[in-house]
Structure formats: structure tokens, C-alpha cells
């Protein structure tokens, strides 16, 4: 089974220079060949990924291109493959009538830089990278046993990481589950509520978010091109990284616990549509814009999409299944008698059935309805 482990790297000064040289070389190859592909298309021709790869050798032999010989050749080849992937994703989005996002040129000013190699290995508890050497790494999850497929080296907020994709040789189902089926209702006030009547409170990120906003304001006041702006940009990147790490840690912990179940049912939420701007009216286009903006911010901070993604792969690894059900009427339907009415939920927290007069926590009632939608009839207790 394919697995991915992300580890922290601690390169020395010369290794840092070599890594950044590889970043620059891969970026150079990507931009040159992307430009060639665009110009070929404008002339009525199409350059395939194989034709683009053939251009690597002449680029290395050309005057001024000698520096490409000093970096990992597989990293340069993977840069060419990224062009092909970017184009395929572009046409896929166009076909689905989504926001297209045409492939863009890479910039050296981005706070995140990366390259992918196919010939890395682990030697003496260190990561060996071609043309760089053995780099000190922190394998916090124990020894990696199996065949390494690819390794992605990344740089962000003055820190170096390696995402190791390897085949561990195990079967597809390696975990275990408890045979239970549960429903989960996600929300803004409470992160999630399960049909087991368990409340999962969302993580408090107010301090981290405030630090990011403060760092953004400081960056906006710095003069473009100045050293102080570079320092402020690095501080902002560190704040963003800390915020993301704290959120990801929370999501990984709760999804690991929930993935112990056999089946988990959630609502098939259209998060992109839920977080759209308020339409307003012809006379007042900004009507309800402030309230909707606050709601959109709260929805995005919950990271429901990431939560469902992590839960799905962990359930699959444990031999379980994630089922997404139609969210229609899950909050208005009584889980005891099945009566559907808008009047059942007059407040955000409490559900009072107008027919059988059952009083329940609104999120708990919705989670039971979500579970019942997959055919398992359960009554709220």
C-alpha cells in the first residue's frame, strides 16, 4: 500500500545552497518549457510531454545552461511532468465549467518552493538526495520500511521538509474497525456532532488568526523590495505555517478516532457554493454582505473539505467506508417521527418537533437523520 510521510530536514549550509539551486533550476526548466508549449499552441502545434523532455538535453548543452548538469536530472524531468499535469487539470476544469486556472509561470519570490526527485533513499537514518548528499532528517514516526517511489523536497517559512511516498508492501486493508455505523453533522458553532450524542468542539485558533492578521498589516506597510519587507514576509509565512500545523494536528487526531468505525455518514456539502458572496439586491448590492462574509470566514476556518478528505482515506485504510448523503431536510426532519417542517427548528441549538413534541439538540437530531439516510434506522435517545 502506498503511504506518505512528511519529515523535517536539517541541511547544513552547503546543502541548503544545493537545494535552492535545484529549486531554481527546476523553476527555470518549467518556465522555459511552459513558454515553448504556449508559443507552439499559438502557432497551431502541440508539444507532448515526451517532446518537452527531449529538449532537456539541448538545454544542458547550450551556452549558459551548464548549471542544469549540476542538479538532479530526475528533478528536472519531474518539472516537465508538472507542465503536463497542469494542462490536464486546466482542461478538466474547463470541461466541468469550473474556474479554469491556466498554467502560470513559477516565481522565485513565492514563500513556498519545492521539487520532486525519484532517486532518493534512506541511509543510516538520514535522507540521501542526489547531487546534495545525506541530509539530517527527523523520522518521528519510526523507520520507513519499503520501496521509496518519490520524494518531494519543500521549503517554507525558513524550514525544509521531505514528503516521502513509499510502498510499504502491506495489503490495502491494514487497520481494524469496530463494526459500528455513525452519522456526523458538521457545523460552525460546534465543529461536529455524532449520532452517538458526542460533541466535538472546534479548536481555538483565535490567537493564531490574530497573529496572522497582525503580520499581514505589518507586511503591507513595508516598502516593496526592501529588506524589512523580506523579514516581514518571512514572519508572516511562519505565522501561517503555525496556524496550518495546529489545524492539521486537530483534524488528524479526530479523524483517526472516527475512522475506527465501520461506516461514517456525512452530508454531501457543496462548500464552494455555501461560501459564495451575498447576492444582495439591485437597489442595495451590499445587503447582508458583512454577515455573509463573517459566515463564509467561519465556514472556511472549519476546514470541512480537509476533514472529509482525511476521514475518507483513513476509513478506507481501516476497511471502512465514508458515505455522503443528501443534506436536504436533515436539520428540519424529526429523527423520532419523521415529520418535516421549518417550524421544528426555531433556534440554532434546539430542535422541537411540532408533531410529536420531541425536544433534542438540533445538531444531534441532524446527525441521526444523516445516519438514517444510509438505511440504518435509528431513533434519537
Amino acid at each position: 500500500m502506498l503511504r506518505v510521510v512528511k519529515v523535517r530536514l536539517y541541511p547544513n549550509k552547503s546543502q541548503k545552497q544545493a537545494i535552492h539551486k535545484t529549486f531554481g533550476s527546476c523553476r527555470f526548466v518549467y518556465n522555459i518549457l511552459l513558454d515553448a508549449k504556449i508559443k507552439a499552441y499559438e502557432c497551431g502545434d502541440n508539444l507532448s510531454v515526451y517532446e518537452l523532455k527531449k529538449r532537456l538535453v539541448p538545454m544542458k548543452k547550450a551556452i549558459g545552461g551548464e548549471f542544469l548538469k549540476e542538479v538532479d536530472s530526475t528533478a528536472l524531468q519531474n518539472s516537465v511532468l508538472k507542465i503536463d499535469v497542469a494542462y490536464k487539470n486546466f482542461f478538466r476544469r474547463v470541461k466541468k465549467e469550473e474556474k479554469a486556472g491556466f498554467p502560470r509561470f513559477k516565481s522565485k519570490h513565492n514563500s513556498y518552493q519545492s521539487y520532486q526527485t525519484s532517486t532518493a533513499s534512506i541511509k543510516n537514518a538520514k535522507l540521501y538526495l542526489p547531487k546534495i548528499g545525506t541530509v539530517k532528517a527527523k523520522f518521528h514516526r519510526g523507520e520507513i520500511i519499503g520501496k521509496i517511489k518519490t520524494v518531494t523536497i519543500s521549503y517554507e517559512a525558513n524550514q525544509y521538509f521531505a514528503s516521502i511516498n513509499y510502498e510499504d508492501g502491506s495489503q490495502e486493508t491494514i487497520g481494524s474497525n469496530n463494526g459500528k455505523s455513525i452519522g456526523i453533522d458538521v457545523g460552525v458553532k460546534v465543529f461536529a456532532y455524532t449520532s452517538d450524542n458526542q460533541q466535538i468542539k472546534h479548536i481555538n485558533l483565535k490567537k493564531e488568526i490574530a497573529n496572522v492578521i497582525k503580520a499581514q498589516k505589518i507586511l503591507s506597510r513595508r516598502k516593496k523590495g526592501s529588506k524589512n519587507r523580506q523579514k516581514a514576509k518571512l514572519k508572516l509565512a511562519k505565522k501561517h505555517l503555525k496556524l496550518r500545523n495546529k489545524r492539521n494536528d486537530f483534524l488528524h487526531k479526530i479523524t483517526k478516532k472516527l475512522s475506527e468505525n465501520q461506516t461514517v455518514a456525512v452530508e454531501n456539502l457543496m462548500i464552494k457554493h455555501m461560501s459564495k458572496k451575498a447576492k444582495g439586491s439591485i437597489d442595495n448590492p451590499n445587503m447582508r454582505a458583512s454577515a455573509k462574509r463573517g459566515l463564509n470566514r467561519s465556514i472556511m476556518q472549519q476546514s470541512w473539505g480537509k476533514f472529509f478528505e482525511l476521514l475518507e482515506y483513513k476509513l478506507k485504510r481501516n476497511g471502512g467506508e465514508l458515505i455522503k448523503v443528501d443534506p436536504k431536510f436533515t436539520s428540519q426532519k424529526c429523527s423520532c417521527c419523521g415529520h418535516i417542517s421549518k417550524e421544528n427548528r426555531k433556534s440554532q441549538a434546539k430542535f422541537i418537533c411540532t408533531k410529536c413534541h420531541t425536544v433534542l439538540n438540533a445538531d444531534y437530531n441532524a446527525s441521526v437523520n444523516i445516519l438514517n439516510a444510509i438505511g440504518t434506522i435509528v431513533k434519537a435517545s
Side-chain angles (χ1 to χ4, degrees):
M1 183 179 180
L2 282 174
R3 300 176 73 93
V4 179
V5 173
K6 188 174 183 179
V7 299
R8 178 83 180 271
L9 298 180
Y10 299 90
N12 56 37
K13 188 175 180 180
S14 61
Q15 289 173 341
K16 287 180 182 178
Q17 292 175 349
I19 289 173
H20 283 277
K21 189 173 185 177
T22 309
F23 288 150
S25 300
C26 292
R27 185 173 59 246
F28 174 80
V29 167
Y30 182 92
N31 290 342
I32 290 292
L33 296 182
L34 177 59
D35 182 63
K37 190 173 178 67
I38 293 172
K39 289 179 178 178
Y41 178 78
E42 291 173 350
C43 297
D45 194 10
N46 180 35
L47 293 176
S48 67
V49 64
Y50 302 104
E51 290 172 321
L52 290 173
K53 275 188 175 182
K54 289 179 182 178
R55 298 193 175 198
L56 281 175
V57 175
M59 286 175 67
K60 292 180 180 179
K61 293 181 178 179
I63 299 174
E66 296 84 2
F67 67 95
L68 296 176
K69 298 178 182 178
E70 300 172 5
V71 299
D72 182 10
S73 60
T74 62
L76 301 179
Q77 291 170 8
N78 286 326
S79 293
V80 180
L81 292 176
K82 286 183 179 180
I83 297 175
D84 187 55
V85 171
Y87 262 86
K88 286 179 179 177
N89 290 338
F90 166 71
F91 286 115
R92 173 180 53 80
R93 290 189 291 266
V94 170
K95 191 175 181 179
K96 291 184 178 180
E97 297 183 354
E98 298 176 353
K99 189 176 179 181
F102 188 79
R104 295 183 294 178
F105 295 100
K106 294 184 180 294
S107 171
K108 67 178 180 179
H109 299 293
N110 288 343
S111 59
Y112 178 85
Q113 300 287 340
S114 68
Y115 78 87
Q116 189 179 79
T117 177
S118 306
T119 52
S121 60
I122 297 174
K123 296 181 179 179
N124 300 323
K126 293 183 178 180
L127 184 64
Y128 171 77
L129 299 174
K131 299 293 181 79
I132 295 174
T134 53
V135 182
K136 185 181 177 182
K138 188 176 182 180
F139 295 97
H140 58 286
R141 295 186 183 274
E143 187 180 0
I144 295 175
I145 301 174
K147 183 180 180 182
I148 295 177
K149 297 288 187 179
T150 59
V151 175
T152 301
I153 308 301
S154 59
Y155 170 80
E156 185 178 14
N158 209 25
Q159 297 179 14
Y160 299 83
F161 301 94
S163 295
I164 305 172
N165 188 344
Y166 68 101
E167 176 68 54
D168 64 357
S170 64
Q171 297 295 325
E172 187 70 21
T173 303
I174 62 173
S176 59
N177 55 68
N178 55 17
K180 288 176 59 178
S181 296
I182 64 168
I184 299 176
D185 178 57
V186 293
V188 175
K189 294 289 183 181
V190 178
F191 180 80
Y193 218 107
T194 71
S195 56
D196 291 340
N197 204 7
Q198 292 184 351
Q199 183 186 96
I200 302 173
K201 295 182 179 180
H202 59 74
I203 188 172
N204 186 3
L205 297 172
K206 289 183 179 179
K207 183 180 177 181
E208 285 72 19
I209 293 171
N211 288 338
V212 167
I213 294 172
K214 184 179 178 181
Q216 285 174 334
K217 289 180 179 179
I218 293 173
L219 177 63
S220 66
R221 293 195 292 265
R222 297 292 180 260
K223 185 179 179 180
K224 290 186 177 181
S226 66
K227 289 186 177 180
N228 283 336
R229 185 177 176 84
Q230 291 178 0
K231 293 177 182 178
K233 191 175 181 180
L234 178 60
K235 286 183 180 179
L236 176 60
K238 288 181 177 180
K239 301 296 183 185
H240 272 296
L241 184 61
K242 184 176 181 179
L243 172 63
R244 188 169 71 250
N245 286 344
K246 193 171 181 179
R247 182 184 286 119
N248 288 342
D249 179 68
F250 166 74
L251 293 173
H252 274 291
K253 285 177 179 176
I254 61 173
T255 51
K256 182 182 179 182
K257 184 67 177 177
L258 292 170
S259 64
E260 294 173 358
N261 296 284
Q262 171 66 36
T263 306
V264 176
V266 296
E267 291 176 307
N268 188 19
L269 299 175
M270 299 292 114
I271 301 171
K272 186 178 179 181
H273 295 164
M274 292 172 66
S275 56
K276 281 185 176 180
K277 293 181 180 179
K279 290 184 178 180
S281 62
I282 297 174
D283 298 329
N284 187 6
N286 294 323
M287 183 174 62
R288 300 187 299 272
S290 179
K292 187 65 171 72
R293 195 159 50 241
L295 177 61
N296 293 347
R297 190 184 302 115
S298 298
I299 290 173
M300 300 310 292
Q301 286 176 3
Q302 301 304 311
S303 299
W304 292 337
K306 183 72 177 287
F307 170 68
F308 295 148
E309 181 185 332
L310 295 176
L311 186 57
E312 185 172 17
Y313 94 76
K314 289 181 181 181
L315 278 165
K316 186 179 179 182
R317 190 172 65 188
N318 289 353
E321 183 183 12
L322 180 72
I323 299 176
K324 295 184 179 181
V325 304
D326 189 354
K328 194 174 182 180
F329 302 129
T330 54
S331 62
Q332 300 174 8
K333 182 179 179 181
C334 177
S335 57
C336 292
C337 68
H339 177 62
I340 299 173
S341 174
K342 290 182 180 179
E343 301 299 320
N344 287 346
R345 190 170 181 176
K346 290 185 177 181
S347 67
Q348 181 70 26
K350 190 176 288 186
F351 182 92
I352 305 174
C353 181
T354 56
K355 186 177 180 181
C356 67
H357 307 294
T358 301
V359 180
L360 295 168
N361 179 285
D363 294 327
Y364 170 54
N365 177 75
S367 66
V368 175
N369 286 330
I370 292 168
L371 177 61
N372 290 340
I374 63 174
T376 305
I377 306 301
V378 178
K379 288 190 177 182
S381 56

